[in-house]
Amino acid sequence: MPADEFDIIARLFAPLAASEGARGLRDDAALYAGKIMTTDAIVEGVHFLSDDPIETVAQKALRVNLSDLAAKGARAEAVLLTLIWPQSRASAEIEGFARGLAADLGAFGVALIGGDTTSTPGPLTISITAFGAPLGPRTPARADAKPGQDLWVTGEIGDAMIGLEALSGPPSVVLSLEDQDAVIARYRVPQPRLAFAKAIADYAAAAMDVSDGLAQDAGKIAAASGVRLVIDVAAAPVSAAAESWIAAGGERAALLGGGDDYEILFTADAGLRDAIVAAGAETKLRVTRIGRVEAGAGVVDETGAPLVHGYRHQLGA
Ligand code: ADP
Ligand code: MG
């Protein structure tokens, strides 16, 4: 019987991670030696598609890690890269991979400081470990939400899910070519919200980046903090392309269950509303209040109905 990713981490690995900086393996990143550290792998056929451009595969591998640092209020500094290249994939493509990586290391001001390169009979796999510096005295944890706080999210939710659907076969909802290109780009090339990391360090109580679906990831903040999150589904920010998708028959609430958003979900005291709105304006980033923190457990909509969709990796046979 396959095992659930989160159950395996909690049951088998968390007991081995006793140091305070490991945060019980219930956070996006660890604190060690004054730095914030995170590692995330992407696998062909799981996190990207075999025929995605190799330049964007490199960008996604880097950006999913930078997203975790942004969500912890850190500045990205350096990365280690492990490249596991399939025996069946043309080696000439590695040049494109390096080009995509170079462009993003430059754009984000991050240094490549090492890694490992090996080949495999399996799918293309890229693992990156990223190191960052805290931008404030606090590093917001998933466990820091308190009843009475607001719930916020950066950017827009659901585009990547629509993009993956468009790439994966006949889509259930037909989009214009322009909208389709926009959502596919969101799936292939996430936008780590590093420009907002200082605001997260200054204002967020709890924070995490949304990678497995907003509703499910909100559940991780709720569980780690011992609170209930109430989300106003109608307030969830979506792009113009996603509005067209909804108008053509897509279900708005489904966007809260799609993966690969890489936006920051955070809670903050109600007294910080003006400061958060100002920080969004200053960094030219949409920031939306989508709900509130209450006593209790789980994630619900305004009617009290549970919101639980999302992606969980199943391990083994
Ligand atoms: P994120 O989606 O933010 O990268 P994950 O859900 O992948 O976070 O991981 C949650 C927590 O579990 C993190 O603290 C991560 O470091 C830890 N973790 C995941 N897999 C392992 C593992 N194999 N060994 C040790 N810690 C792990
Ligand atoms: Mg994360």
Side-chain angles (χ1 to χ4, degrees):
M1 201 181 28
D4 177 80
E5 165 192 7
F6 305 123
D7 176 60
I8 290 290
I9 294 169
R11 197 162 53 81
L12 300 181
F13 297 137
L16 313 182
S19 75
E20 197 184 332
R23 295 185 153 179
L25 303 189
R26 286 167 70 129
D27 218 306
D28 302 86
L31 282 60
Y32 186 76
K35 298 290 185 192
I36 313 291
M37 303 186 183
T38 185
T39 190
D40 252 318
I42 66 170
V43 179
E44 178 178 356
V46 181
H47 304 90
F48 64 93
L49 302 173
S50 298
D51 56 359
D52 281 342
I54 196 67
E55 289 84 356
T56 68
V57 171
Q59 289 178 291
K60 186 167 193 175
L62 178 65
R63 287 168 179 232
V64 300
N65 280 280
L66 302 185
S67 176
D68 276 323
L69 294 180
K72 299 293 101 176
R75 176 163 46 84
E77 293 185 327
V79 291
L80 299 168
L81 163 69
T82 297
L83 180 60
I84 306 178
W85 196 264
Q87 285 151 6
S88 57
R89 192 182 266 260
S91 59
E93 279 192 56
I94 304 175
E95 288 177 32
F97 181 91
R99 262 197 314 278
L101 183 67
D104 264 10
L105 291 172
F108 294 108
V110 176
L112 178 66
I113 57 169
D116 191 26
T117 305
T118 180
S119 81
T120 177
L124 174 57
T125 301
I126 303 124
S127 173
I128 287 186
T129 300
F131 305 89
L135 287 166
R138 278 191 65 247
T139 295
R142 294 179 184 176
D144 291 336
K146 300 266 180 324
Q149 289 173 340
D150 297 324
L151 182 67
W152 297 79
V153 71
T154 61
E156 289 156 347
I157 290 299
D159 277 4
M161 182 198 94
I162 303 171
L164 176 59
E165 184 185 274
L167 286 168
S168 304
S172 58
V173 174
V174 176
L175 291 175
S176 71
L177 277 183
E178 196 187 353
D179 284 342
Q180 192 169 307
D181 285 350
V183 293
I184 288 172
R186 281 299 304 268
Y187 171 72
R188 287 181 173 156
V189 188
Q191 301 296 325
R193 301 306 187 186
L194 285 165
F196 203 68
K198 176 78 171 104
I200 292 295
D202 288 347
Y203 306 131
M208 70 179 295
D209 71 327
V210 177
S211 53
D212 295 339
L214 175 66
Q216 178 173 296
D217 283 342
K220 294 177 192 168
I221 289 182
S225 297
V227 297
R228 154 178 290 211
L229 298 184
V230 183
I231 297 179
D232 176 1
V233 173
V238 303
S239 70
E243 288 292 0
S244 307
W245 181 84
I246 293 165
E251 190 203 341
R252 184 178 295 273
L255 300 178
L256 278 70
D260 287 299
D261 290 316
Y262 296 101
E263 297 292 354
I264 305 177
L265 181 68
F266 64 102
T267 73
D269 290 339
L272 293 169
R273 283 179 192 173
D274 290 348
I276 290 165
V277 169
E282 201 177 307
T283 55
K284 299 189 173 56
L285 178 63
R286 188 170 175 181
V287 188
T288 309
R289 189 153 53 86
I290 57 164
R292 59 185 184 276
V293 186
E294 291 184 348
V299 182
V300 297
D301 68 14
E302 289 284 359
T303 72
L307 287 170
V308 285
H309 320 277
Y311 192 80
R312 306 165 79 95
H313 291 281
Q314 299 301 311
L315 308 179

